[in-house]
Amino acid sequence: MRAREVAQLKIDQGLPPFPDLASRDSIKDRVHGIMVGELQAMEGAGRTVCDFPEAPWEFTLDMARQVWDESRHVEIYLRLLEHLDGYAGEFPETTILWRCACAEDAAARVAGVNRGLEGLACDVFNQLVHIARKMGDPILERAVEFVLADEITHVRMGSKWLTRLTEGDPERRRRAIEFQETIDERFNLGGMRRLGDHEAVPVSIATDVRRMAGFTEEEIERLIKSTQRSQVY
Amino acid sequence: MPHPLEGRFSVDHSARLIRNYRYAVERALRALGGWIALTPEISAKLLMGRHVWDLAQHADAFGKRLPELRAPAQVSEPPNPAFAAFMDALEEPEGKEQTVERLVGVYRVLKPHLLATYRDHVARANPVYEPPTRRILERCIEDEARHIAAGETILRHLASTPALDERAAVWQGRLEGLLAAAGGVTGDGLPQASAAPPTATQPPELDDDAREWIRLERTVTVWPIPDDLRATLQSFGDALLARDAAAPRRWLAAGAAWDVGAESSLYAVKPAAHRVVAFARVGHHRLVKLSFEGADGAATLLTRWVPAADGWRVAALEVARVDAARPALPPP
């Protein structure tokens, strides 16, 4: 099913289109979505290892490290689902993250995946850590905090390789950043991602974490502006 | 009594061997990385995901050792075209039903051979002036032994029928033939010492986390379907199997349209049995994938069920997937 159809089904039943973090069940729904996202991130990083043998060796090395990280994340989220009394397959999911990971140019792929999607992961996980802390779930809090640390590393890798792979080729860099921005736009989730308090908005932009990951003030500002003009589902 | 400074390998020869190892390892790690997306089973995905990084570190360590041996850094080189052909063959199985072949190639053929070769190299490398190479190989040996044990655990889990077991054996035989014809990863012939064959008695610490990955793959053994919906699904599936045009339509929700195309696709596989293969929820709605299996393949129906006053009703159905009957064996 398309994400749009699932969202519409939820709206028709008076539910939020994207799981909020207001109940244990909606946290489970969110964790399920993240688990599937991690699976697709592992697949995407694996494809990057495979698809670009001509890229610098250190690029392959970083992407191989990311595959390992994502495989641990899948395992962590499968276990967190168990912790929340859920199971893999409990909620319908889509392959949208995987489709975003299919850019043919390595620079576009790291821009889209490592900066766009992993940036989104920073927002989502940072908020989840906060909510878990508030609800007194140290299992969820600690596990997601470590995943968040990895995601920050992946964003840094993305920034490094976007620069190195496009050195001396401003047109390639422009196209890669444009691709990242289409992903940022798509994953504003119809206005769900916004600047705001963890408990006030569905997905809160993690400005501090983004700074730590190497996003510039200008990039953060641009993302915030883009969320203000995002279309609803 | 050999002299402690007696050596089997020259610097140039040692560099050549390392380029050969790096070639095999680099191709294996790229293949494993690419296969993750082609592999449906979670346990196999996690296995590959874990080992891509270990292999990348092996390739990196080999590559960094090369300049110390008066050779360019991070270069891979096959010993001969026949070994490249062996790696080409190992990478061939890309079908979604070929996880067993993918794992057999890496975990029953390539890795045991690398393990044996590394052990042989360490046994012959001079302990006085070749410790840098020996240390790298010792780390690789430790990892490869662990990988092989984990791969074997997952393979036993996946190759769970005599037909799959036969497929695995046929594929293994083909690859081993190509490997022997190439003279192994160095082109100098297969090493005498073979890797210890993985067995059920393998110490648990060598088994990676493979058993846990299998458990995580199996977290749901029975779909948590409410009893009344389970009964409805059984009757609905039976009615479709009976090809009774009117009967399945009895469960249509008000306003929902029957998909005649879906029905035709379903009948094309000559279904003889049905089962639930996925069960998810969206609010009060339930999404159920029903697989219909028959002589000519399998068709998966995605259905959406809604609770109504007179029981569960199907609000939408479509064919999610049609698979032709599986070939018994991979091509020779």
Side-chain angles (χ1 to χ4, degrees):
Chain A
M1 284 178 92
R2 308 287 301 194
R4 196 179 299 272
E5 291 174 78
V6 175
Q8 191 57 51
L9 277 177
K10 288 181 176 176
I11 291 167
D12 291 347
Q13 296 177 67
L15 300 167
F18 188 70
D20 55 27
L21 299 168
S23 67
R24 198 169 168 84
D25 197 56
S26 61
I27 290 174
K28 180 166 66 172
D29 192 347
R30 178 82 67 98
V31 164
H32 190 278
I34 296 169
M35 182 274 291
V36 173
E38 296 290 3
L39 255 182
Q40 293 175 49
M42 174 171 70
E43 293 171 343
R47 279 314 310 181
T48 302
V49 166
C50 179
D51 291 342
F52 303 109
E54 305 310 322
W57 166 248
E58 291 74 17
F59 175 75
T60 299
L61 204 56
D62 274 352
M63 294 300 117
R65 169 61 196 235
Q66 191 172 330
V67 174
W68 184 44
D69 292 346
E70 306 296 5
S71 79
R72 290 195 321 279
H73 298 176
V74 172
E75 189 174 335
I76 288 166
Y77 278 104
L78 282 169
R79 289 169 190 265
L80 283 177
L81 265 182
E82 283 185 303
H83 169 66
L84 294 164
D85 300 319
Y87 62 90
E90 186 169 355
F91 303 97
E93 302 292 352
T94 71
T95 53
I96 190 165
L97 294 175
W98 163 253
R99 281 180 274 136
C100 290
C102 290
E104 290 194 6
D105 177 44
R109 208 179 283 187
V110 290
V113 174
N114 286 63
R115 306 188 88 242
L117 295 179
E118 304 275 350
L120 168 72
C122 288
D123 298 334
V124 172
F125 299 167
N126 188 52
Q127 187 172 22
L128 197 48
V129 169
H130 174 87
I131 300 284
R133 190 177 299 137
K134 191 175 174 236
M135 63 191 264
D137 187 337
I139 301 285
L140 186 62
E141 180 192 342
R142 187 56 52 84
V144 177
E145 198 185 1
F146 269 92
V147 177
L148 174 60
D150 289 339
E151 303 300 2
I152 292 170
T153 305
H154 298 165
V155 176
R156 286 182 186 143
M157 281 178 188
S159 303
K160 176 176 87 179
W161 286 109
L162 172 64
T163 301
R164 288 205 196 162
L165 293 173
T166 61
E167 234 158 29
D169 190 345
E171 177 55 23
R172 188 181 180 195
R173 182 179 175 85
R174 187 191 62 74
R175 283 197 307 269
I177 290 175
E178 214 170 77
F179 180 64
Q180 182 197 326
E181 285 174 351
T182 63
I183 286 178
D184 282 340
E185 185 78 35
R186 179 176 291 187
F187 286 95
N188 285 335
L189 302 165
M192 295 285 160
R193 173 161 65 175
R194 294 201 292 271
L195 186 63
D197 187 81
H198 293 305
E199 288 156 61
V201 297
V203 177
S204 167
I205 297 174
T207 49
D208 288 349
V209 170
R210 280 178 174 270
R211 276 184 204 105
M212 204 183 300
F215 284 105
T216 63
E217 292 300 328
E218 189 194 342
E219 285 176 317
I220 294 170
E221 196 53 42
R222 199 163 53 236
L223 177 69
I224 292 167
K225 277 190 183 146
S226 78
T227 64
Q228 292 159 354
R229 59 168 189 268
S230 285
Q231 289 181 343
V232 176
Y233 269 96
Chain B
M1 185 74 167
H3 191 284
L5 294 182
E6 188 180 302
R8 302 275 185 94
F9 309 124
S10 69
V11 168
D12 286 348
H13 184 71
S14 187
R16 197 266 284 173
L17 293 179
I18 285 174
R19 284 194 298 273
N20 294 162
Y21 301 157
R22 193 180 186 281
Y23 175 81
V25 171
E26 186 186 352
R27 284 200 64 172
L29 84 93
R30 292 194 195 279
L32 283 176
W35 284 343
I36 294 171
L38 309 177
T39 300
E41 299 87 353
I42 295 263
S43 56
K45 276 182 189 290
L46 292 176
L47 175 84
M48 294 173 181
R50 287 296 177 92
H51 296 168
V52 164
W53 172 236
D54 285 340
L55 288 180
Q57 288 177 95
H58 297 181
D60 191 53
F62 288 139
K64 283 179 174 153
R65 174 71 177 134
L66 284 169
E68 298 165 2
L69 297 168
R70 300 193 308 249
Q74 304 297 359
V75 171
S76 296
E77 180 188 26
N80 52 45
F83 188 78
F86 159 74
M87 290 301 300
D88 289 344
L90 183 137
E91 289 174 1
E92 265 172 35
E94 293 201 325
K96 65 179 184 296
E97 307 288 352
Q98 290 183 294
T99 305
V100 165
E101 282 83 359
R102 288 192 277 277
L103 297 187
V104 162
V106 172
Y107 292 93
R108 282 192 182 158
V109 181
L110 178 64
K111 282 179 174 288
H113 170 66
L114 289 177
L115 179 61
T117 304
Y118 296 159
R119 282 178 173 156
D120 183 60
H121 189 147
V122 167
R124 295 193 293 146
N126 183 282
V128 180
Y129 47 77
E130 291 186 87
T133 299
R134 289 167 61 105
R135 287 218 180 157
I136 293 168
L137 289 171
E138 276 156 9
R139 187 255 157 108
C140 295
I141 286 167
E142 191 182 308
D143 284 350
E144 292 298 3
R146 187 167 43 82
H147 290 189
I148 292 165
E152 192 57 30
T153 301
I154 302 294
L155 261 168
R156 285 182 192 169
H157 160 61
L158 296 178
S160 54
T161 65
L164 282 169
D165 227 20
E166 189 194 343
R167 256 173 54 184
V170 168
W171 186 243
Q172 183 173 344
R174 183 187 163 197
L175 290 179
E176 283 174 345
L178 290 170
L179 181 64
V185 64
T186 62
D188 299 333
L190 303 182
Q192 289 285 318
S194 64
T199 65
T201 57
Q202 199 85 29
E205 66 271 18
L206 287 183
D207 203 325
D208 228 336
D209 299 315
R211 276 188 285 267
E212 182 60 12
W213 301 333
I214 293 168
R215 188 192 70 75
L216 288 169
E217 187 177 274
R218 290 170 163 166
T219 47
V220 177
T221 49
V222 180
W223 298 106
I225 305 173
D227 288 345
D228 54 345
L229 178 56
R230 188 181 293 280
T232 301
L233 291 170
Q234 184 66 42
S235 304
F236 178 74
D238 290 348
L240 281 168
L241 284 186
R243 300 196 181 205
D244 178 339
R249 289 167 171 78
R250 282 194 294 120
W251 282 281
L252 260 188
W258 186 258
D259 186 342
V260 178
E263 200 173 28
S264 308
S265 303
L266 182 69
Y267 292 154
V269 302
K270 299 182 182 146
H274 65 87
R275 64 194 171 100
V276 174
V277 292
F279 180 74
R281 63 192 175 97
V282 182
H284 299 299
H285 297 205
R286 296 292 178 268
L287 300 175
V288 183
K289 278 187 179 170
L290 288 165
S291 175
F292 291 82
E293 285 147 29
D296 287 354
T300 305
L301 268 192
L302 171 60
T303 57
R304 178 163 58 85
W305 294 83
V306 293
D310 53 350
W312 290 92
R313 290 289 175 263
V314 64
L317 82 164
E318 62 181 276
V319 172
R321 189 161 129 182
V322 177
D323 291 318
R326 297 170 193 178
L329 290 171

